[in-house]
Amino acid sequence: MPGRDGFRRLFRLDRGDRDVDRSVRDELAFHFEMAVADLVASGMTAADARLEAERRFGDVGRTRHRLETIDRARVAEGRRVEQWRNILHDLRFALRMLRRQPGFAAAVILTLALGIGANTTIFGIVDRLLFRPPALLPNPDHVHRLYFARTDNGREFAAANVSYQRYLDVVNGTSAFASMAAFWTPRMAVGRDNANEMRVTMATASFWQVFDVTPVAGRLFTAVEDSPPAGEPVAVLSWPFWQATFGGRRDVLGTRVRIGRVDYTIIGVAPRGFWGLEQTAPAAFIPLSSGADNFHGPFGPGRPSWRQGYGFNWLQIFARRKEGVSIDASTSDLTAAFKRSYALQAAEQHHLPPADVARPRAIVGSILTERGPNQGTNSKVALWLIGVSAIVLIIACANVGNLLLARAVRRRREIAVRLALGISRTRLFSQLLVESTLLAALGAAGGLALARWGAGLLGSVLLPDLTTPGSVIDSRLLLFTSLAAAAAGFVTGLAPALQAVRLDVTTMLHGGARDGASHRSPVQLGLLVMQGALSTLLLVGAGLFMRSLHNVRDVRLGFDADRLSFVAPVMRGVVLSAAETSRLHERLTGAARVIPGVDGASRTESVPFYWDNEDNIFIPGRDSVNKLGSFVQQSVSPGYFATAGTRILHGRGITDEDRPGAPRAVVVSRMMAATLWPAQEAIGKCVKVSADTMPCNHVVGIAEDIKQFSLRDDPGLEYYLAAAQADATFGVYVRTSARGGASAETIRRALQREMPGVSYVTVTPLSQILEPVTLPWQLGATMFTMFGGLALLVAAVGLYSVLAYGVAQRSREIGVRVALGARPRDVVTLVLREGLGISLGAIALGVVTALLAGRWLAPLLFSVSPRDPVTYGTVALVLLLVTVIACLAPAQRAARTDPNIALRAE
């Protein structure tokens, strides 16, 4: 029979690894001694009995280790079961508490949903721009865009676009890459009778070697079909175009689609979500050789061959590094090939600076454009979006933390009772964190719903050129949202949980909830001030960008962008002589003038911020004039200056007198006149274009400067030739009575009748061309205003909630004040003073922070100081007004306090 120790072993409970080790040793020792006792009882001596027991038990150490392992696993499993049981219990308890206070739960969940939803949406956009590799790109760390840099006038420029000859040079001159491909995605006419301009990717056949693409139907084009000079007219459709145009039918294989001026045979369909390296889906992928010969633009019939020379940079190159080759090694290999290619180019183009001056070098960059050396506006906006959305989430967490702190004050008696009944403080701390995490999880669910609804809207407002394929919600987004929710739950619940577990049970049970009710926690005050300060920071940013945008729109451009549209004829394979092209432009100009709502039309050559023609000019008696800057050429017809809205400052514009055979006329800009003939009369001076042997163009007028390249510091060097004498126009300007291109479709339909064959016209409002130029300030104003307004709303709700809780907690104190003679307005003043004190502290902190951050914001502003007093004063007034509105309801409720009820409440 087991003795007292044996019975005690039956009811032991291991509490940890030390208990396991000790219990296993005790268990083995107990059974060993029991075996020895049994053997002695059977007649053996004690020594023989111990030897026999050791023989029967064998290797005691091994047995002990095996038993310890089994016991540890049993204890660990028990702990896991207990932990999950506790978590489920805490979740059920938290749900019961939330059901008891649905208003509180709704306020917290909505606040977190706004903060997490904003961050989830922004993460989806930023992830697409800066982190997510293109679809179906295996081992993306080994795939790179290639850039080629050289120094010009002391500054290094990295070019992503290269000529086809450069592509051949680096393909044949490098050994560090497993595969290399070139592509270009221009806009081309797709379709027959109702053709639309759509993006089409022209790519070398090696394009498919870099990706892991399995077509959903048919096949991909091969190197044989991409053989210069013309290749084969075959096309692989993108999934969106296949669905939209052909309804996803598989019988499209073998049929034809018109792209540009050629009918392409459809041989395959790319998988869903595959867009190559573009941010938006092209209509189709076609062989580079057939696409280049087909394209109507810089090369084609009658133009220089796209396969020869270094004159036209149009292709982008990307490549996959060989396994085991480092980025530094591949960069060195590519740079050596580029230097050899530059030497060949210098032999062809004698004006190039020597290699020791140009210092050509190659850059093996990220496959994502926005992480390469030529970062665009989108990447800058993305970084600002990260910071601004993070501030909104911080404000939301501070707001929720404040609500939880206020709620914890009201639950102090409940928590004291639970502590008195035996719950451990660690267990209580865990339970309160589970409750805040549950709220954050519910807020994250709401945030995902908001992100799914608002991603398209926010993306179209902030980054209209970026389109995300597939579903908005994917595994990366879910992971980010989960992490954001976990962080929010921990941060918002930490302070209330710490406050609760530090509660003095005895004092609380004796004093009741009224003790300390009139004293606000320093943590609460700090969170309120932080919310207001961050809201101030965002609103100051909004104000500065709004003023910048206003200044941008007030810039005198030298032309009326709001009323101008640019008409470009797209010949689509129709070949016209120079004389026929000139007559076509005249017909388009004349037809445009009689369209209802059109105030004027004129031929034009260069379009600001879109297309410019620069040529060398020569001034008799002057050397190296072209070193003074780049002179932009315009070839215009009579009425141009009235149509464009460009003022003539002196002399006259181009008129009907400037016809063929008449003295050649030119109008120069004010800055060009000042640069070429300082302190002299420019009228009557001679300007020769293209060569010193060309005839003189005599200056007949001086026009105001226009912004051709930049809104800030544009050189303003433009000259205007008579189209009848120069005959180099590119399109037609049309001036309308309505603003914003409202008549664009009417103009297009009217002018389309003048186009021969399958050619067509495009009509582009100049306001649309200017949108990318003004985009940084539009984005800044939109982004800061949107998120600043959201932050202000969340902060105002937080201030209201905390003051409302404070009034409820201080009902006894307020009742005493009223009983002692305080008037309602005194009570209102008391609450308003508290709210305004918090707001003034927040504004002061926010203003100081904004002033310190101004130096980073200054380069992004336009003609406004980051310390603009008007902006700061307006923001302060707005915040004070919002504070008063947020305080009114709690203040009025406090003023209506019945002292009899308040004094009997406790």
Side-chain angles (χ1 to χ4, degrees):
M1 292 292 293
R4 183 178 59 184
D5 291 342
F7 281 111
R8 192 164 51 200
R9 280 175 175 73
L10 296 176
F11 302 101
R12 77 177 189 276
L13 180 64
D14 297 327
R15 295 185 299 275
D17 290 343
R18 293 182 179 179
D19 285 343
V20 170
D21 296 341
R22 186 175 63 252
S23 64
V24 169
R25 289 195 301 271
D26 292 346
E27 192 73 24
L28 283 174
F30 171 75
H31 287 286
F32 184 83
E33 294 299 332
M34 290 290 292
V36 171
D38 290 342
L39 292 172
V40 170
S42 66
M44 296 180 67
T45 64
D48 292 340
R50 189 167 292 277
L51 290 174
E52 178 61 18
E54 288 177 352
R55 184 186 65 78
R56 292 182 181 182
F57 273 75
D59 190 341
V60 176
R62 181 181 300 174
T63 302
R64 181 188 302 123
H65 177 71
R66 181 171 58 83
L67 292 176
E68 287 174 354
T69 303
I70 294 172
D71 269 16
R72 283 198 182 95
R74 177 175 57 82
V75 170
E77 180 65 23
R79 286 177 180 170
R80 284 194 294 270
V81 171
E82 184 66 21
Q83 288 171 353
W84 279 110
R85 186 182 294 116
N86 290 339
I87 290 175
L88 291 175
H89 177 271
D90 293 345
L91 283 173
R92 287 194 294 268
F93 180 79
L95 287 171
R96 288 198 301 270
M97 295 299 295
L98 295 182
R99 283 199 299 268
R100 288 174 52 188
Q101 295 178 306
F104 168 83
V108 170
I109 292 171
L110 179 60
T111 301
L112 287 175
L114 291 173
I116 295 175
N119 278 265
T120 299
T121 303
I122 296 306
F123 174 78
I125 295 174
V126 173
D127 181 43
R128 174 71 176 155
L129 275 174
L130 301 179
F131 303 109
R132 185 190 297 268
L136 304 180
L137 188 66
N139 198 5
D141 291 340
H142 277 65
V143 181
H144 306 272
R145 286 184 193 258
L146 306 185
Y147 299 85
F148 302 90
R150 70 176 192 178
T151 301
D152 188 8
N153 293 327
R155 294 179 59 191
E156 185 180 73
F157 298 89
N161 297 324
V162 299
S163 63
Y164 184 75
Q165 185 60 53
R166 180 87 73 216
Y167 166 68
L168 294 180
D169 289 347
V170 297
V171 166
N172 298 324
T174 56
S175 59
F177 301 96
S179 56
M180 188 178 294
F183 73 100
W184 185 38
T185 307
R187 298 188 71 87
M188 299 180 68
V190 179
R192 284 186 175 276
D193 298 332
N194 297 314
N196 293 316
E197 280 204 329
M198 307 179 72
R199 294 187 179 276
V200 176
T201 294
M202 307 176 187
T204 58
S206 54
F207 182 88
W208 306 113
Q209 298 173 9
V210 182
F211 293 95
D212 184 13
V213 178
T214 302
V216 296
R219 63 178 179 85
L220 310 172
F221 55 80
T222 64
V224 174
E225 293 162 323
D226 183 40
S227 299
E232 294 293 331
V234 295
V236 176
L237 304 182
S238 69
W239 173 280
F241 182 75
W242 180 49
Q243 293 291 322
T245 306
F246 298 99
R249 302 194 329 267
R250 293 182 175 270
D251 59 0
V252 299
L253 298 179
T255 62
R256 294 178 178 272
V257 59
R258 173 65 69 93
I259 301 177
R261 59 188 175 88
V262 175
D263 288 333
Y264 279 75
T265 301
I266 300 172
I267 62 171
V269 178
R272 186 173 189 174
F274 177 74
W275 297 356
L277 297 183
E278 300 299 328
Q279 297 287 6
T280 55
F285 302 87
I286 61 177
L288 179 69
S289 51
S290 66
D293 265 4
N294 173 18
F295 190 65
H296 66 263
F299 33 69
R303 301 292 183 94
S305 172
W306 57 271
R307 295 177 290 114
Q308 300 172 356
Y310 301 89
F312 185 66
N313 298 317
W314 55 296
L315 294 174
Q316 292 192 46
I317 306 176
F318 67 109
R320 180 179 294 279
R321 275 187 293 121
K322 290 180 178 179
E323 293 294 333
V325 177
S326 67
I327 292 180
D328 289 341
S330 62
T331 299
S332 177
D333 182 45
L334 185 64
T335 296
F338 178 41
K339 288 181 177 179
R340 291 191 293 268
S341 178
Y342 184 83
L344 295 174
Q345 181 184 4
E348 176 184 303
Q349 301 175 359
H350 300 291
H351 65 278
L352 287 180
D356 58 343
V357 175
R359 296 199 296 273
R361 71 181 184 96
I363 301 172
V364 177
S366 169
I367 192 63
L368 299 174
T369 303
E370 298 298 338
R371 294 180 63 181
N374 298 330
Q375 293 182 352
T377 302
N378 285 348
S379 62
K380 298 176 183 177
V381 173
L383 295 176
W384 278 104
L385 285 174
I386 292 173
V388 171
S389 60
I391 290 175
V392 173
L393 183 57
I394 291 172
I395 292 173
C397 289
N399 189 359
V400 171
N402 241 328
L403 292 175
L404 292 176
L405 279 169
R407 182 167 172 258
V409 170
R410 301 190 69 178
R411 293 179 61 185
R412 285 183 299 178
R413 181 184 288 275
E414 169 209 333
I415 291 171
V417 170
R418 295 174 64 194
L419 289 171
L421 291 176
I423 186 174
S424 69
R425 295 182 184 268
T426 302
R427 183 80 176 80
L428 179 63
F429 181 82
S430 172
Q431 190 176 79
L432 293 174
L433 279 184
V434 166
E435 185 175 340
S436 64
T437 303
L438 173 63
L439 287 168
L442 295 174
L448 283 174
L450 290 175
R452 188 173 183 85
W453 170 77
L457 175 63
L458 190 62
S460 64
V461 170
L462 297 178
L463 298 172
D465 294 333
L466 177 67
T467 305
T468 303
S471 172
V472 174
I473 308 301
D474 60 11
S475 58
R476 295 165 69 96
L477 217 56
L478 286 173
L479 177 60
F480 172 82
T481 306
S482 300
L483 293 175
F490 179 77
V491 170
T492 56
L494 183 61
L498 288 174
Q499 184 185 74
V501 298
R502 292 172 179 171
L503 194 67
D504 187 338
V505 178
T506 304
T507 303
M508 190 63 230
L509 291 178
H510 280 279
R514 69 184 69 172
D515 287 351
S518 62
H519 302 288
R520 191 170 306 284
S521 165
V523 177
Q524 284 183 286
L525 289 174
L527 291 175
L528 284 172
V529 170
M530 182 179 69
Q531 290 180 69
L534 293 177
S535 299
T536 303
L537 179 64
L538 293 182
L539 290 175
V540 166
L544 292 175
F545 271 103
M546 288 291 287
R547 296 207 66 188
S548 294
L549 183 59
H550 176 75
N551 293 338
V552 166
R553 290 173 174 169
D554 280 351
V555 169
R556 174 63 189 170
L557 299 173
F559 55 91
D560 295 338
D562 288 342
R563 297 186 183 277
L564 280 180
S565 292
F566 173 64
V567 177
V570 180
M571 302 315 298
R572 205 182 190 191
V574 177
V575 181
L576 301 179
S577 65
E580 289 172 332
T581 301
S582 179
R583 286 194 293 270
L584 172 62
H585 287 172
E586 283 299 325
R587 289 200 307 273
L588 291 174
T589 303
R593 287 173 179 159
V594 299
I595 298 174
V598 170
D599 294 336
S602 171
R603 296 169 64 176
T604 187
E605 182 176 6
S606 296
V607 181
F609 302 99
Y610 177 67
W611 177 274
D612 65 273
N613 183 29
E614 299 176 14
D615 207 342
N616 292 329
I617 64 170
F618 299 87
I619 306 298
R622 295 282 303 273
D623 293 329
S624 304
V625 170
N626 294 287
K627 291 184 178 180
L628 299 176
S630 298
F631 296 86
V632 177
Q633 176 180 300
Q634 277 279 27
S635 178
V636 303
S637 58
Y640 169 84
F641 293 98
T643 298
T646 303
R647 297 191 296 260
I648 295 294
L649 305 178
H650 186 45
R652 66 174 178 86
I654 301 298
T655 67
D656 292 330
E657 299 176 5
D658 304 312
R659 54 185 177 273
R664 300 175 68 90
V666 63
V667 175
V668 300
S669 66
R670 183 193 60 80
M671 182 58 71
M672 181 172 173
T675 301
L676 296 180
W677 304 286
Q680 297 182 39
E681 174 59 60
I683 300 294
K685 298 293 186 180
C686 172
V687 178
K688 298 182 179 183
V689 180
S690 297
D692 195 24
T693 57
M694 297 296 289
C696 275
N697 297 277
H698 295 283
V699 178
V700 298
I702 298 175
E704 68 172 315
D705 299 331
I706 70 170
K707 301 291 186 180
Q708 183 78 33
F709 306 104
S710 170
L711 294 178
R712 293 184 185 272
D713 300 316
D714 193 278
L717 303 176
E718 295 90 18
Y719 61 96
Y720 306 83
L721 303 173
Q725 297 174 338
D727 200 21
T729 52
F730 176 50
V732 176
Y733 267 169
V734 178
R735 182 184 182 89
T736 60
S737 302
R739 293 177 177 268
S743 305
E745 182 59 20
T746 301
I747 296 171
R748 189 195 68 80
R749 290 180 180 178
L751 299 187
Q752 181 60 44
R753 293 191 290 266
E754 305 295 330
M755 298 300 294
V758 294
S759 60
Y760 61 95
V761 295
T762 61
V763 181
T764 307
L766 259 66
S767 57
Q768 180 178 321
I769 293 175
L770 280 173
E771 281 181 1
V773 181
T774 60
L775 183 64
W777 299 286
Q778 291 176 347
L779 288 176
T782 302
M783 176 179 63
F784 275 98
T785 301
M786 184 183 302
F787 287 103
L790 178 60
L792 182 61
L793 174 63
V794 172
V797 171
L799 180 61
Y800 162 80
S801 302
V802 170
L803 289 176
Y805 269 114
V807 168
Q809 294 164 18
R810 300 171 63 184
S811 59
R812 180 179 178 83
E813 173 201 335
I814 294 173
V816 171
R817 289 176 180 270
V818 173
L820 292 176
R823 293 168 296 180
R825 67 179 182 183
D826 298 326
V827 178
V828 170
T829 302
L830 177 69
V831 177
L832 284 176
R833 186 186 301 120
E834 181 179 2
L836 288 173
I838 295 172
S839 183
L840 288 172
I843 291 172
L845 180 60
V847 165
V848 171
T849 305
L851 290 173
L852 293 175
R855 60 173 180 167
W856 289 286
L857 198 61
L860 302 176
L861 302 178
F862 190 91
S863 299
V864 63
S865 168
R867 295 177 172 83
D868 178 52
V870 175
T871 300
Y872 283 81
T874 303
V875 169
L877 290 176
V878 168
L879 286 168
L880 290 174
L881 177 62
V882 171
T883 300
V884 171
I885 295 173
C887 293
L888 280 179
Q892 290 175 351
R893 185 180 306 163
R896 293 194 297 267
T897 300
D898 186 338
N900 296 318
I901 298 176
L903 293 175
R904 289 199 303 265
E906 298 291 343

